[in-house]
């Protein structure tokens, strides 16, 4: 849940770059999926930029498996 809390804090501070960067640095696919689910279902300003970063990171992690 740490990733989700950190990203929400960044989004609340209107720091989209930090929120997306946190997603791009995450190595836990489950945390990324939980974040994606939360962002997808909520109307959070700036969520689309982070959703893009989460999807990109999931693709990168899949290649590494």
């Amino acid at each position: 849940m740490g990733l989700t809390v950190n990203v929400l804090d960044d989004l609340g501070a209107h720091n989209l770059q930090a929120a997306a960067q946190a997603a791009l640095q995450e190595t836990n696919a489950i945390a990324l999926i939980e974040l994606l689910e939360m962002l997808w279902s909520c109307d959070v300003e700036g969520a689309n930029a982070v959703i893009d970063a989460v999807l990109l990171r999931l693709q990168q992690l899949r290649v590494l498996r």
Side-chain angles (χ1 to χ4, degrees), residues 12-59:
H14 303 287
N15 192 345
L16 299 179
Q17 185 175 5
Q21 190 62 35
L24 290 171
Q25 292 176 346
E26 182 59 52
T27 58
N28 183 337
I30 294 171
L32 288 164
I33 292 167
E34 289 174 350
L35 176 61
L36 178 63
E37 180 182 24
M38 191 276 309
L39 291 174
W40 195 275
S41 63
C42 296
D43 186 25
V44 178
E45 186 178 338
N48 286 341
V50 181
I51 288 171
D52 291 343
V54 169
L55 292 172
L56 176 62
R57 185 60 180 153
L58 286 169
Q59 287 177 324

